[in-house]
Amino acid sequence: MAVVARWQSGAMRPLSTSTEKDLRHLLNEWDPIGVADLMQDEYDCMLAPLLGRLRGSAGQTEIGEFLRHELGDHFGLDPLGLRPDAMAARVIAWWTSAGPAGGAVSE
């Protein structure tokens, strides 16, 4: 598996390209601003922060709070109808099922 270094939380950490690709796919399926068909990398700004939180054993609540913050502060959207908590549950389920590449996450 190919590994690349990305800047993450103040330190270089290896991220597998397949892990990034899988998370990008989840974010593009969610597509809160409706542009994923045109711009596959629109949500890449959330990849490293999400993966850092997941690797740090963040639970669904923390992931949901991060997504709400990004929707409101970064993308300028009202997160209410975009279901960030449901997306957080999907992200946690994906991460947990990823096994050793992901890891068990507790709430």
Side-chain angles (χ1 to χ4, degrees):
M1 176 185 301
V3 176
V4 295
R6 296 272 199 256
W7 184 255
Q8 191 179 52
S9 301
M12 292 297 281
R13 290 196 168 159
L15 297 176
S16 80
T17 56
S18 66
T19 301
E20 287 181 311
K21 182 180 175 183
D22 291 346
L23 183 54
R24 179 182 293 121
H25 178 76
L26 279 177
L27 292 171
N28 284 340
E29 281 184 341
W30 182 39
D31 195 17
I33 62 175
V35 298
D37 288 340
L38 302 172
M39 299 180 65
Q40 292 294 306
D41 64 351
E42 181 63 29
Y43 307 111
D44 281 4
C45 59
M46 292 192 282
L47 292 177
L50 279 170
L51 289 169
R53 283 169 173 78
L54 291 166
R55 287 197 171 110
S57 299
Q60 184 175 331
T61 300
E62 184 178 338
I63 298 300
E65 289 170 359
F66 169 76
L67 293 173
R68 263 189 302 288
H69 173 78
E70 287 299 296
L71 290 171
D73 290 356
H74 180 79
F75 293 105
L77 301 172
D78 179 1
L80 184 61
L82 299 172
R83 304 185 63 219
D85 293 326
M87 183 57 185
R90 282 189 70 197
V91 168
I92 293 295
W94 161 75
W95 182 254
T96 302
S97 71
V105 180
S106 61
E107 183 59 24

